[in-house]
Amino acid sequence: MAQRVTLRRRNPYNTKSNRRRVVKTPGGKLRYLHIKKLPTAPKCGDCHIALPGVKALRPREYATVSKREKSVQRAYGGSRCGQCLRTRIIRAFLVEEAKIVKQVMKA
């Protein structure tokens, strides 16, 4: 007959935050191993792809890691990907150029 396995936490319900797996301990007993939720990587605010160079962690774990693991060394580092930042810079440059051309045409 199979060995009985008792819960190690007080939550008895089969919820997303209470997932568990049966493991065998070095002593030969079966025990529940509670599984943490999988982290998702931060996404770019414009194109919604995962940001390269930024660790995928659970929200609370970002408090314990260093700044260099949460962002990359450029403007909008942990917020936008490189491609979207490039298009933003080009767009801003072209808008400024259009303003200058408008002023020249007016003069």
Side-chain angles (χ1 to χ4, degrees):
M1 194 170 106
Q3 183 183 334
R4 287 184 184 219
V5 185
T6 56
L7 292 168
R8 296 167 67 189
R9 290 184 186 166
R10 290 178 185 266
N11 182 6
Y13 302 107
N14 185 29
T15 61
K16 270 199 292 188
S17 62
N18 198 33
R19 295 189 316 121
R20 54 209 176 269
R21 189 174 80 206
V22 178
V23 293
K24 189 173 270 190
T25 63
K29 294 180 179 177
L30 295 179
R31 203 116 186 241
Y32 270 137
L33 181 79
H34 288 277
I35 301 164
K36 290 184 175 180
K37 288 186 187 179
L38 292 174
T40 56
K43 307 279 191 292
C44 171
D46 293 343
C47 64
H48 308 292
I49 65 159
L51 290 173
V54 181
K55 267 194 169 179
L57 298 171
R58 295 299 299 164
R60 191 70 183 123
E61 291 172 353
Y62 281 108
T64 60
V65 296
S66 63
K67 186 180 179 182
R68 67 175 189 78
E69 293 173 301
K70 292 182 269 195
S71 67
V72 291
Q73 288 288 1
R74 68 168 167 261
Y76 297 95
S79 170
R80 303 287 186 267
C81 67
Q83 283 299 121
C84 293
L85 181 62
R86 183 180 292 147
T87 56
R88 276 176 179 234
I89 291 169
I90 291 169
R91 187 183 299 130
F93 175 75
L94 291 174
V95 165
E96 289 299 316
E97 286 290 310
K99 283 181 186 175
I100 293 167
V101 168
K102 198 173 181 182
Q103 279 183 338
V104 168
M105 295 296 277
K106 190 178 179 182

